[in-house]
Amino acid sequence: MASRKHPVFAYYVTGHGFGHATRVVEVVRNLILAGHDVHVVTGAPDFVFTSEIQSPRLFIRKVLLDCGAVQADALTVDRLASLEKYSETAVKPRESILATEIEWLNSIKADLVVSDVVPVACRAAADAGIRSVCVTNFRVNELNVINNHHSLGGTQVLMDSSTRLYALFFFFQGKKMETLVW
């Protein structure tokens, strides 16, 4: 009997703070336990993943594709400085980043791109002809901003009302946002 091909996941995780990465560890662990290969693309330290998951199906690619907020303290965000930092990190080199990510996604034969939430990952997936899913803890009002972003196209939102974890499905085919509660 031929072995069943399992999907290859490219999982993009923002590297700022450990909240996103530690949340992703559980999803990645379960994907790997199901027999899937998971390529994590992040600026977060490797140990966040490797201390919790020891598997030959886990691949980590260190790339800085986004940045965190510039903060004066734990509660004060410098919005202008944050936008300037994002522009330098992800906007000005965008075409080069997209070309690199599309080539890489094709090289690993990714079946699905998952993102928490690195915006360029969704655009690269769309340009490579690969579906993408975003899994994060954004609220509905924040999702409306994402849905109206010029580079994302149509968005379907799935909400888990018990954990308040939101998944955005970027299909790039529709134009409206649908909201479903699990």
Side-chain angles (χ1 to χ4, degrees):
M1 178 176 190
S3 65
R4 182 175 161 243
K5 181 194 179 293
H6 291 280
V8 173
F9 292 84
Y11 208 133
Y12 288 79
V13 186
T14 186
H16 79 92
F18 285 167
H20 295 276
T22 55
R23 193 172 39 248
V24 164
V25 165
E26 290 306 313
V27 178
V28 170
R29 178 192 334 271
N30 283 285
L31 290 170
I32 289 171
L33 287 172
H36 306 298
D37 289 346
V38 181
H39 295 258
V40 175
V41 181
T42 188
D46 289 6
F47 77 84
V48 175
F49 302 94
T50 59
S51 65
E52 298 294 323
I53 304 168
Q54 295 84 38
S55 172
R57 292 186 175 274
L58 172 65
F59 306 89
I60 299 176
R61 180 171 164 248
K62 299 291 289 191
V63 180
L64 180 64
L65 297 174
D66 68 345
C67 61
V70 175
Q71 295 179 250
D73 56 50
L75 301 175
T76 309
V77 174
D78 183 333
R79 292 180 180 176
L80 181 58
S82 296
L83 287 172
E84 288 170 354
K85 183 177 176 184
Y86 184 75
S87 178
E88 291 299 318
T89 304
V91 176
K92 289 180 181 175
R94 184 174 176 85
E95 293 309 313
S96 172
I97 290 170
L98 281 171
T100 299
E101 294 311 300
I102 292 165
E103 182 179 338
W104 178 77
L105 288 168
N106 288 325
S107 76
I108 66 164
K109 296 179 172 56
D111 294 299
L112 182 70
V113 170
V114 184
S115 179
D116 187 352
V117 168
V118 179
V120 74
C122 298
R123 179 78 272 150
D127 290 352
I130 303 167
R131 290 188 180 229
S132 63
V133 178
C134 292
V135 179
T136 191
N137 62 342
F138 289 150
R139 295 182 307 265
V140 171
N141 62 334
E142 293 161 333
L143 297 176
N144 287 330
V145 171
I146 291 170
N147 187 50
N148 292 324
H149 190 280
H150 68 88
S151 70
L152 297 180
T155 304
Q156 182 182 38
V157 182
L158 298 181
M159 289 185 253
D160 178 338
S161 58
S162 63
T163 64
R164 307 295 294 168
L165 181 68
Y166 303 101
L168 307 171
F169 284 73
F170 295 95
F171 290 121
F172 301 99
Q173 295 165 0
K175 294 297 178 198
K176 68 176 193 169
M177 181 174 74
E178 297 177 40
T179 304
L180 307 170
V181 180
W182 288 338

PDB file of all heavy atoms in Angstrom, residues 18 25 40 42-53 58 60-62:
ATOM      1  N   PHE A  18       7.238  36.733  22.665  1.00  0.00           N
ATOM      2  CA  PHE A  18       7.139  35.276  22.640  1.00  0.00           C
ATOM      3  C   PHE A  18       5.695  34.792  22.588  1.00  0.00           C
ATOM      4  O   PHE A  18       5.444  33.610  22.440  1.00  0.00           O
ATOM      5  CB  PHE A  18       7.823  34.662  23.859  1.00  0.00           C
ATOM      6  CG  PHE A  18       9.323  34.681  23.797  1.00  0.00           C
ATOM      7  CD1 PHE A  18      10.061  34.412  24.923  1.00  0.00           C
ATOM      8  CD2 PHE A  18      10.006  34.960  22.617  1.00  0.00           C
ATOM      9  CE1 PHE A  18      11.448  34.411  24.882  1.00  0.00           C
ATOM     10  CE2 PHE A  18      11.387  34.970  22.554  1.00  0.00           C
ATOM     11  CZ  PHE A  18      12.105  34.692  23.692  1.00  0.00           C
ATOM     12  N   VAL A  25       3.513  27.036  18.933  1.00  0.00           N
ATOM     13  CA  VAL A  25       4.131  25.756  19.298  1.00  0.00           C
ATOM     14  C   VAL A  25       3.088  24.654  19.398  1.00  0.00           C
ATOM     15  O   VAL A  25       3.301  23.548  18.892  1.00  0.00           O
ATOM     16  CB  VAL A  25       4.941  25.874  20.607  1.00  0.00           C
ATOM     17  CG1 VAL A  25       5.281  24.508  21.181  1.00  0.00           C
ATOM     18  CG2 VAL A  25       6.208  26.675  20.373  1.00  0.00           C
ATOM     19  N   VAL A  40       8.781  26.281   9.955  1.00  0.00           N
ATOM     20  CA  VAL A  40       8.495  27.501  10.697  1.00  0.00           C
ATOM     21  C   VAL A  40       9.436  28.591  10.198  1.00  0.00           C
ATOM     22  O   VAL A  40      10.653  28.403  10.153  1.00  0.00           O
ATOM     23  CB  VAL A  40       8.665  27.294  12.213  1.00  0.00           C
ATOM     24  CG1 VAL A  40       8.491  28.606  12.963  1.00  0.00           C
ATOM     25  CG2 VAL A  40       7.675  26.252  12.722  1.00  0.00           C
ATOM     26  N   THR A  42      10.510  32.388  11.030  1.00  0.00           N
ATOM     27  CA  THR A  42      10.359  33.324  12.135  1.00  0.00           C
ATOM     28  C   THR A  42      11.662  34.046  12.458  1.00  0.00           C
ATOM     29  O   THR A  42      12.736  33.588  12.091  1.00  0.00           O
ATOM     30  CB  THR A  42       9.858  32.582  13.396  1.00  0.00           C
ATOM     31  OG1 THR A  42       9.536  33.535  14.409  1.00  0.00           O
ATOM     32  CG2 THR A  42      10.892  31.593  13.909  1.00  0.00           C
ATOM     33  N   GLY A  43      11.520  35.129  13.165  1.00  0.00           N
ATOM     34  CA  GLY A  43      12.666  35.823  13.738  1.00  0.00           C
ATOM     35  C   GLY A  43      12.819  35.462  15.212  1.00  0.00           C
ATOM     36  O   GLY A  43      13.773  35.866  15.864  1.00  0.00           O
ATOM     37  N   ALA A  44      11.876  34.675  15.747  1.00  0.00           N
ATOM     38  CA  ALA A  44      11.936  34.248  17.153  1.00  0.00           C
ATOM     39  C   ALA A  44      13.070  33.244  17.335  1.00  0.00           C
ATOM     40  O   ALA A  44      13.441  32.536  16.403  1.00  0.00           O
ATOM     41  CB  ALA A  44      10.606  33.613  17.564  1.00  0.00           C
ATOM     42  N   PRO A  45      13.613  33.158  18.552  1.00  0.00           N
ATOM     43  CA  PRO A  45      14.695  32.198  18.805  1.00  0.00           C
ATOM     44  C   PRO A  45      14.254  30.752  18.581  1.00  0.00           C
ATOM     45  O   PRO A  45      13.127  30.376  18.903  1.00  0.00           O
ATOM     46  CB  PRO A  45      15.026  32.417  20.288  1.00  0.00           C
ATOM     47  CG  PRO A  45      14.451  33.747  20.638  1.00  0.00           C
ATOM     48  CD  PRO A  45      13.282  33.961  19.727  1.00  0.00           C
ATOM     49  N   ASP A  46      15.153  29.951  18.042  1.00  0.00           N
ATOM     50  CA  ASP A  46      14.866  28.533  17.774  1.00  0.00           C
ATOM     51  C   ASP A  46      14.370  27.791  19.011  1.00  0.00           C
ATOM     52  O   ASP A  46      13.482  26.955  18.922  1.00  0.00           O
ATOM     53  CB  ASP A  46      16.123  27.817  17.270  1.00  0.00           C
ATOM     54  CG  ASP A  46      16.524  28.221  15.868  1.00  0.00           C
ATOM     55  OD1 ASP A  46      15.899  29.138  15.299  1.00  0.00           O
ATOM     56  OD2 ASP A  46      17.470  27.612  15.342  1.00  0.00           O
ATOM     57  N   PHE A  47      14.978  28.096  20.181  1.00  0.00           N
ATOM     58  CA  PHE A  47      14.666  27.322  21.384  1.00  0.00           C
ATOM     59  C   PHE A  47      13.195  27.362  21.768  1.00  0.00           C
ATOM     60  O   PHE A  47      12.701  26.447  22.423  1.00  0.00           O
ATOM     61  CB  PHE A  47      15.533  27.748  22.573  1.00  0.00           C
ATOM     62  CG  PHE A  47      15.102  29.044  23.222  1.00  0.00           C
ATOM     63  CD1 PHE A  47      14.091  29.061  24.178  1.00  0.00           C
ATOM     64  CD2 PHE A  47      15.726  30.234  22.887  1.00  0.00           C
ATOM     65  CE1 PHE A  47      13.696  30.247  24.777  1.00  0.00           C
ATOM     66  CE2 PHE A  47      15.342  31.425  23.484  1.00  0.00           C
ATOM     67  CZ  PHE A  47      14.323  31.429  24.419  1.00  0.00           C
ATOM     68  N   VAL A  48      12.476  28.406  21.352  1.00  0.00           N
ATOM     69  CA  VAL A  48      11.043  28.478  21.661  1.00  0.00           C
ATOM     70  C   VAL A  48      10.339  27.253  21.072  1.00  0.00           C
ATOM     71  O   VAL A  48       9.430  26.697  21.679  1.00  0.00           O
ATOM     72  CB  VAL A  48      10.423  29.782  21.121  1.00  0.00           C
ATOM     73  CG1 VAL A  48       8.918  29.800  21.319  1.00  0.00           C
ATOM     74  CG2 VAL A  48      11.063  31.000  21.764  1.00  0.00           C
ATOM     75  N   PHE A  49      10.797  26.808  19.912  1.00  0.00           N
ATOM     76  CA  PHE A  49      10.197  25.666  19.234  1.00  0.00           C
ATOM     77  C   PHE A  49      10.901  24.360  19.593  1.00  0.00           C
ATOM     78  O   PHE A  49      10.257  23.368  19.912  1.00  0.00           O
ATOM     79  CB  PHE A  49      10.220  25.892  17.714  1.00  0.00           C
ATOM     80  CG  PHE A  49       9.495  27.138  17.319  1.00  0.00           C
ATOM     81  CD1 PHE A  49      10.179  28.330  17.158  1.00  0.00           C
ATOM     82  CD2 PHE A  49       8.120  27.122  17.149  1.00  0.00           C
ATOM     83  CE1 PHE A  49       9.502  29.491  16.818  1.00  0.00           C
ATOM     84  CE2 PHE A  49       7.438  28.279  16.813  1.00  0.00           C
ATOM     85  CZ  PHE A  49       8.140  29.467  16.656  1.00  0.00           C
ATOM     86  N   THR A  50      12.230  24.363  19.536  1.00  0.00           N
ATOM     87  CA  THR A  50      12.978  23.115  19.715  1.00  0.00           C
ATOM     88  C   THR A  50      12.963  22.606  21.147  1.00  0.00           C
ATOM     89  O   THR A  50      13.146  21.412  21.364  1.00  0.00           O
ATOM     90  CB  THR A  50      14.427  23.266  19.227  1.00  0.00           C
ATOM     91  OG1 THR A  50      15.059  24.323  19.962  1.00  0.00           O
ATOM     92  CG2 THR A  50      14.477  23.559  17.736  1.00  0.00           C
ATOM     93  N   SER A  51      12.747  23.470  22.123  1.00  0.00           N
ATOM     94  CA  SER A  51      12.668  22.992  23.507  1.00  0.00           C
ATOM     95  C   SER A  51      11.361  22.241  23.751  1.00  0.00           C
ATOM     96  O   SER A  51      11.266  21.424  24.654  1.00  0.00           O
ATOM     97  CB  SER A  51      12.817  24.148  24.499  1.00  0.00           C
ATOM     98  OG  SER A  51      11.732  25.046  24.370  1.00  0.00           O
ATOM     99  N   GLU A  52      10.360  22.511  22.931  1.00  0.00           N
ATOM    100  CA  GLU A  52       9.052  21.877  23.086  1.00  0.00           C
ATOM    101  C   GLU A  52       8.782  20.784  22.055  1.00  0.00           C
ATOM    102  O   GLU A  52       7.942  19.920  22.285  1.00  0.00           O
ATOM    103  CB  GLU A  52       7.947  22.944  22.986  1.00  0.00           C
ATOM    104  CG  GLU A  52       8.010  24.000  24.072  1.00  0.00           C
ATOM    105  CD  GLU A  52       7.730  23.424  25.448  1.00  0.00           C
ATOM    106  OE1 GLU A  52       6.869  22.525  25.553  1.00  0.00           O
ATOM    107  OE2 GLU A  52       8.363  23.868  26.406  1.00  0.00           O
ATOM    108  N   ILE A  53       9.444  20.867  20.916  1.00  0.00           N
ATOM    109  CA  ILE A  53       9.193  19.912  19.828  1.00  0.00           C
ATOM    110  C   ILE A  53      10.531  19.364  19.341  1.00  0.00           C
ATOM    111  O   ILE A  53      11.358  20.108  18.836  1.00  0.00           O
ATOM    112  CB  ILE A  53       8.475  20.590  18.643  1.00  0.00           C
ATOM    113  CG1 ILE A  53       7.171  21.254  19.087  1.00  0.00           C
ATOM    114  CG2 ILE A  53       8.220  19.587  17.520  1.00  0.00           C
ATOM    115  CD1 ILE A  53       6.559  22.169  18.049  1.00  0.00           C
ATOM    116  N   LEU A  58      10.116  18.993  11.949  1.00  0.00           N
ATOM    117  CA  LEU A  58      10.149  20.428  12.254  1.00  0.00           C
ATOM    118  C   LEU A  58      11.375  21.037  11.590  1.00  0.00           C
ATOM    119  O   LEU A  58      12.500  20.601  11.814  1.00  0.00           O
ATOM    120  CB  LEU A  58      10.214  20.665  13.764  1.00  0.00           C
ATOM    121  CG  LEU A  58      10.444  22.116  14.204  1.00  0.00           C
ATOM    122  CD1 LEU A  58       9.259  22.999  13.812  1.00  0.00           C
ATOM    123  CD2 LEU A  58      10.692  22.171  15.707  1.00  0.00           C
ATOM    124  N   ILE A  60      13.148  24.890  10.881  1.00  0.00           N
ATOM    125  CA  ILE A  60      13.083  26.296  11.273  1.00  0.00           C
ATOM    126  C   ILE A  60      13.934  27.118  10.318  1.00  0.00           C
ATOM    127  O   ILE A  60      15.103  26.811  10.089  1.00  0.00           O
ATOM    128  CB  ILE A  60      13.546  26.499  12.724  1.00  0.00           C
ATOM    129  CG1 ILE A  60      12.631  25.714  13.664  1.00  0.00           C
ATOM    130  CG2 ILE A  60      13.546  27.987  13.076  1.00  0.00           C
ATOM    131  CD1 ILE A  60      13.033  25.746  15.107  1.00  0.00           C
ATOM    132  N   ARG A  61      13.339  28.145   9.773  1.00  0.00           N
ATOM    133  CA  ARG A  61      14.026  29.071   8.868  1.00  0.00           C
ATOM    134  C   ARG A  61      14.000  30.446   9.510  1.00  0.00           C
ATOM    135  O   ARG A  61      12.935  31.018   9.726  1.00  0.00           O
ATOM    136  CB  ARG A  61      13.315  29.083   7.515  1.00  0.00           C
ATOM    137  CG  ARG A  61      13.930  29.999   6.504  1.00  0.00           C
ATOM    138  CD  ARG A  61      13.287  29.762   5.124  1.00  0.00           C
ATOM    139  NE  ARG A  61      13.581  30.862   4.254  1.00  0.00           N
ATOM    140  CZ  ARG A  61      12.679  31.729   3.804  1.00  0.00           C
ATOM    141  NH1 ARG A  61      11.411  31.596   4.119  1.00  0.00           N
ATOM    142  NH2 ARG A  61      13.044  32.713   3.009  1.00  0.00           N
ATOM    143  N   LYS A  62      15.178  30.957   9.835  1.00  0.00           N
ATOM    144  CA  LYS A  62      15.283  32.250  10.517  1.00  0.00           C
ATOM    145  C   LYS A  62      15.260  33.378   9.498  1.00  0.00           C
ATOM    146  O   LYS A  62      16.185  33.529   8.715  1.00  0.00           O
ATOM    147  CB  LYS A  62      16.574  32.314  11.322  1.00  0.00           C
ATOM    148  CG  LYS A  62      16.689  31.264  12.413  1.00  0.00           C
ATOM    149  CD  LYS A  62      15.711  31.512  13.512  1.00  0.00           C
ATOM    150  CE  LYS A  62      16.180  32.743  14.249  1.00  0.00           C
ATOM    151  NZ  LYS A  62      15.513  32.993  15.483  1.00  0.00           N
TER     152      LYS A  62
END
